[in-house]
Amino acid sequence: MSALQGNPFLTWRDAQLCLEDQPLAALAERFGTPLYVYSRGAMRTAAAGYQRALAGQRHRLAYAVKANSNLAVLQTFVQQGLGFDVVSGGELQRVLAAGGKAADCVFSGVGKADAEVLQALRAGIRCINVESEAELHQVSRIASASGLAAPIALRVNPDIDAGTHPYISTGLKSNKFGVPHADALRLYRLATTLPGLAVQGIACHIGSQITRLAPYLDALDRVLDLVDALAAEGIRLSHLDMGGGLGIAYSATDDPPSPQALVGGLRERLDARGHHGLTLELEPGRSLVGPAGVLLARVIHTKPGAEKNFCIVDAAMNDLARPAMYEAWMDVSPCVKTATPPARWDVVGPVCESGDWLARDRDLAVQPGDVLAVLTAGAYGMSMASNYNSRPRPAEVLVDGTSVHLVRERETLPALYALEHLLPT
Ligand code: LLP
């Protein structure tokens, strides 16, 4: 299944590639390129898939803001009743600005600054996922000094290989995340004695772009062993947060489990081990927004060569870091079907790095001026974009049936250095 075939919101209508009802080439013309375009319908459908699968189970579904933190995206999920997984004071602030509530947010991350912990407690955060002994003391100190009770869970590192790219694997002993499984009981005991902490749950997150169920079930078993051992000591937890991480189809060879299959597998294991009553929490990011987005880029030049043909487009690694950073495979499609015969191209950006490529060895029919769509780019695209080479970040558009909304304007050049100061002369 190619990313295009797997996405009912992305279709060919005659010669035009459309997202929902909108021909992408026309959006590129209207808003300029590079341009991120997201389908609201695709996001809502993905969230509804999780919600259907979780029905009948005590649950909380928290969208991982880091995947795509545009306010209109967050607002879409607020309206659909989702909570949020945030990893910084900035992400919490965005959720509030989009109309969400701190009481629906979980705060993850290995290094939270004192000011961020205080900000979260004052806002009324639902849970802080604590990732070290030092952080337990930090949260306790800040909570007791401010007279607030901090609801916490410990993020446990289950030492499970999620079978994904090393940079996005998080559940191995060698990763910086979570407290070691072997230390968890001791740290829960400690947590119950520290002032200002209200121990509520347990969390784990083993990685991202996971394409098999087995690592999730292994992690769940390891975490439930702890839940049982804690209950035997009288420490009762009310929720279990299994993190995010579900993969999506970037290419014809990817066949990840559906949210239904993931949730079904987790529920079955919870029931089998007598834990139906635990609130099951999930923190998906990529699977809610990835397939909903495309990055549009216009071909500046074609540069055929002896070894490689380069198709140079106006989007680059600063706009979409995934290929440069993880050698990630992203599908690329022209936005208009033409009679040009296809040739083999490396699609590259204008940034001064050989790692600045978006796709390699693709058979594409392209000419200067054409618009290309990088598919499945709704997650970890704009949220990881930078201004490298003093390139303004792209604009973002959300399509919703026949409506088109500009949800972030293209950055202006003066905005790039607006916070800088010349030296006195
Ligand atoms: N919860 C926690 C604690 C996380 O660290 C993450 C992602 C998520 C939830 C959401 O995971 P998802 O469902 O999106 O896989 N930039 C990389 C992905 C980094 C993921 C970091 N953590 C990429 O572009 O592939």
Side-chain angles (χ1 to χ4, degrees), residues 127-207:
C127 190
I128 298 182
N129 284 352
V130 173
E131 302 215 17
S132 62
E133 182 164 357
E135 194 185 338
L136 266 185
H137 288 288
Q138 178 200 26
V139 175
S140 165
R141 170 174 52 79
I142 296 168
S144 21
S146 53
L148 297 161
I152 63 142
L154 275 182
R155 173 167 172 187
V156 174
N157 184 328
D159 195 24
I160 296 286
D161 185 357
T164 184
H165 189 285
Y167 283 13
I168 53 176
S169 170
T170 51
L172 283 169
K173 265 190 207 156
S174 53
N175 298 135
K176 67 179 173 182
F177 298 97
V179 302
H181 193 268
D183 294 351
L185 287 180
R186 179 179 66 80
L187 294 178
Y188 269 104
R189 286 182 208 123
L190 172 66
T192 58
T193 65
L194 290 176
L197 302 184
V199 177
Q200 302 205 330
I202 191 160
C204 83
H205 169 80
I206 54 175

Side-chain angles (χ1 to χ4, degrees), residues 64 66 85 168 205 208 245 283-286 322 326 380 384:
K66 63 174 82 69
D85 167 65
I168 53 176
H205 169 80
S208 197
E283 304 168 351
R286 188 191 312 268
R322 302 193 71 257
Y326 319 112
Y380 305 109
M384 290 173 71

Side-chain angles (χ1 to χ4, degrees), residues 50 62-68 85-87 106-109 129 131 155 164-165 167-170 177 203-210 216 241-248 250 282-289 320-323 325-326 328 330 379-381 383-384:
Y50 273 100
Y63 166 63
V65 171
K66 63 174 82 69
N68 184 326
D85 167 65
V86 300
V87 292
V106 49
F107 190 4
S108 308
N129 284 352
E131 302 215 17
R155 173 167 172 187
T164 184
H165 189 285
Y167 283 13
I168 53 176
S169 170
T170 51
F177 298 97
C204 83
H205 169 80
I206 54 175
S208 197
Q209 185 55 16
I210 301 171
Y216 276 107
D241 177 347
M242 287 303 294
L246 187 62
I248 57 177
Y250 282 102
L282 292 174
E283 304 168 351
R286 188 191 312 268
S287 51
L288 290 178
V289 292
L320 179 64
R322 302 193 71 257
M325 201 158 167
Y326 319 112
M330 315 278 293
Y380 305 109
S383 63
M384 290 173 71

